Amino acid sequence: MKTYVSPGQRPDTATVVAIGSFDGVHLGHQALIAQLKAKAREHRVPSVVYTFDPPTRVLTQGVEFLSTLPEKLDLLGRYGVDETIAASFTPEFASRPKEAFLDDLRQLRPRTVVVGEDFHFGRGRAGGVDDLRLVAPEVVTLPMHQLGGEDIKSTRIREYLRAGDVVGAGRLLGRHYDAQGVVVQGDRLGRTIGWPTANIRVPDGKALPLGVFAVVAVGDHGRWHGMANVGFRPTVNGQDRRFEVHLFDFSGDLYGQELQVKFFAHLRGEQRFAGLDELKAQIARDAQAARDALKDVR
């Protein structure tokens, strides 16, 4: 998939365009992509997603994001998008008048524009669906996608994650929620108590559920079942959020490598234990619970 940072970078050809933050690329976004690809096939032109980094609400409302830009681009490519324009969403970009964004779209020569029915753009959200008809002969709007009567939206997924409900989040995503990051040096406490962990650094602002989870980790050299602890480690008076993963049946060095961790089941919330012996006993129970939760996962 080709990626650009502005419409002017791509070749001067006709397109079909879908616009939005696409944070998490959830089932609602996937419905938008399906419509985008169908229209692109109909017109025999490239399918283009015009998206924003960070997602608009991260800047305007300070929320956490579900997918980093590399994660989002990977997902869009996997779902069959031909090209992506990932515009840097800064205060300056957000303050542009709607006419400036329409000028961006004109450069893409869209045969069709595909958006959610509540799509707005430009300073003060002044632009709407009717304005898009000034730059494209066809505008397709999709209503809020639902699953079992529940609106599928990034806000709801973040609520599930705050509650530790990774199954609920995964249901709206259409896949297991995941986080990617580089393995960095920790304080090696896990190693001293017989449960070595990979300490994973993810970008600030990435939404992570707190607690202990059954996970599957994927790296360049393998795929492992395991358990993850996300939190502040109250037993050892931790001060910062840590994301630590113990990989079952693994020995070796992962420092500097990138891991993708997929969350399968919530095992328990964070707890403070009386000492390390009590913590070790609970970790052993967690490990068995994680193995049980993952026994049918290949």
Side-chain angles (χ1 to χ4, degrees):
M1 183 183 68
K2 297 177 181 177
T3 302
Y4 308 97
V5 297
S6 69
Q9 281 193 323
R10 69 170 308 280
D12 184 21
T13 61
T15 65
V16 170
V17 184
I19 314 168
S21 286
F22 288 86
D23 190 20
V25 196
H26 54 55
L27 287 174
H29 297 139
Q30 292 166 42
L32 212 67
I33 291 168
Q35 186 66 240
L36 169 75
K37 291 166 61 179
K39 287 295 180 180
R41 286 193 299 270
E42 177 185 325
H43 294 295
R44 298 183 179 181
V45 298
S47 60
V48 178
V49 164
Y50 193 147
T51 191
F52 312 101
D53 178 46
T56 56
R57 289 189 178 184
V58 174
L59 179 70
T60 61
Q61 299 178 19
V63 303
E64 293 185 310
F65 50 82
L66 300 176
S67 48
T68 64
L69 182 59
E71 289 168 348
K72 184 195 300 189
L73 295 176
D74 177 65
L75 287 165
L76 292 173
R78 212 185 311 165
Y79 291 128
V81 174
D82 295 321
E83 302 176 16
T84 303
I85 296 166
S88 181
F89 194 71
T90 62
E92 292 74 24
F93 189 98
S95 67
R96 296 194 312 164
K98 66 179 183 180
E99 290 78 14
F101 188 70
L102 291 173
D103 286 342
D104 283 355
L105 293 180
R106 286 188 181 95
Q107 295 183 68
L108 299 175
R109 295 170 50 191
R111 300 283 182 85
T112 304
V113 173
V114 184
V115 292
E117 63 182 4
D118 63 343
F119 177 72
H120 288 84
F121 60 93
R123 185 171 56 233
R125 291 168 53 85
V129 171
D130 287 342
D131 296 290
L132 296 176
R133 296 190 172 94
L134 299 173
V135 299
E138 180 183 37
V139 177
V140 176
T141 61
L142 273 65
M144 177 72 72
H145 210 61
Q146 291 192 325
L147 184 66
E150 181 178 21
D151 286 347
I152 300 174
K153 51 186 181 180
S154 301
T155 298
R156 185 69 183 116
I157 295 169
R158 282 189 286 268
E159 290 171 353
Y160 274 125
L161 293 176
R162 280 196 293 272
D165 187 353
V166 294
V167 173
R171 189 172 63 249
L172 300 190
L173 287 165
R175 63 182 187 280
H176 297 285
Y177 186 67
D178 69 85
Q180 299 180 30
V182 175
V183 178
V184 298
Q185 185 117 5
D187 53 21
R188 295 177 174 262
L189 174 63
R191 190 180 305 273
T192 65
I193 61 175
W195 295 96
T197 59
N199 187 32
I200 301 175
R201 177 182 292 154
V202 298
D204 292 341
K206 167 75 174 180
L208 289 175
L210 298 181
V212 179
F213 302 88
V215 301
V216 172
V218 181
D220 289 339
H221 304 294
R223 173 185 172 96
W224 305 273
H225 290 186
M227 58 181 177
N229 180 79
V230 186
F232 295 86
R233 306 173 303 150
T235 302
V236 294
N237 298 313
Q239 299 299 311
D240 56 337
R241 186 182 73 174
R242 292 286 185 91
F243 178 21
E244 299 173 315
V245 180
H246 173 78
L247 306 177
F248 300 146
D249 309 314
F250 171 82
S251 61
D253 184 353
L254 290 170
Y255 290 130
Q257 296 186 40
E258 184 159 305
L259 285 184
Q260 178 192 38
V261 180
K262 302 179 181 183
F263 293 86
F264 276 73
H266 178 251
L267 303 179
R268 63 174 174 86
E270 274 207 293
Q271 295 172 242
R272 180 185 291 274
F273 297 97
L276 292 182
D277 287 341
E278 187 177 327
L279 173 62
K280 286 168 59 177
Q282 181 60 54
I283 291 175
R285 291 190 290 271
D286 294 338
Q288 186 57 56
R291 288 182 184 275
D292 291 344
L294 297 169
K295 66 179 184 299
D296 296 323
V297 178
R298 295 291 176 261

